[in-house]
Amino acid sequence: MTEHVSTGFERGTDGPKVILAGVDGSESSLRAAAYAAGLARRQNALLALVYVQPVLAGGAALGAPVAGTTGEIAEGLVAEIRASAERLKGIFEVRWQFHTFRGDPYAGLVSAAEELRADAVVVGASEQAGHRIVGSVAVRLVKAGRWPVTVVP
């Protein structure tokens, strides 16, 4: 008889331990956070809410103080998302953390998923018409093929 020796954690075998939800303040991202909270509660997993603060390209501001404005908007959005998360926490009684990363949404979510060792990623469907043609963050995450990805409409 052969004895099986565990060589460490194997993703997806014991259910997710960390469920990452990307949030940006949009209605679909808040629905995604609520869906992810339900998953985390049922799986007894940690819910990691992640906001990716966009970073503007060097010439995008054209001399205007956009970076400061972006920071102010981001801080307001972070406060709104935290407040939403607090409401979710009371409803679902789930362990959760809030994280802010910087960069473009796709790269930021990939970095977050790697750093937080996410077992699953939940995002809202894009609400921008152009993404149907070019490809949304959700589609890019699915194509990366590194985590199970759930897209919430």
Side-chain angles (χ1 to χ4, degrees):
M1 181 156 82
T2 308
E3 183 178 323
H4 176 72
V5 178
S6 176
T7 56
F9 176 76
E10 185 177 335
R11 188 171 300 223
T13 55
D14 298 323
K17 299 299 179 208
V18 177
I19 297 174
L20 183 150
V23 290
D24 63 6
S26 67
E27 286 298 317
S28 68
S29 80
L30 296 177
R31 286 191 298 271
Y35 182 88
L39 286 177
R41 181 183 53 78
R42 288 187 295 279
Q43 297 287 335
N44 194 28
L46 173 69
L47 172 63
L49 297 171
V50 174
Y51 168 65
V52 180
Q53 182 177 345
V55 177
L56 295 175
L62 298 175
V66 176
T69 305
T70 302
E72 289 170 20
I73 292 169
E75 288 193 17
L77 186 55
V78 166
E80 181 182 324
I81 292 167
R82 279 186 190 271
S84 296
E86 287 289 346
R87 288 193 297 274
L88 286 175
K89 179 184 175 190
I91 293 167
F92 291 103
E93 292 302 320
V94 65
R95 292 178 303 125
W96 67 281
Q97 298 173 342
F98 184 86
H99 301 272
T100 303
F101 285 75
R102 293 178 64 91
D104 75 86
Y106 171 75
L109 288 174
V110 167
S111 294
E114 288 174 350
E115 185 174 317
L116 301 171
R117 298 180 55 123
D119 299 297
V121 177
V122 181
V123 292
S126 175
E127 296 178 355
Q128 296 179 355
H131 283 177
R132 291 187 197 106
I133 300 163
V134 178
S136 66
V137 171
V139 169
R140 292 173 66 195
L141 288 167
V142 170
K143 287 182 177 179
R146 294 164 65 187
W147 315 271
V149 177
T150 302
V151 183
V152 176

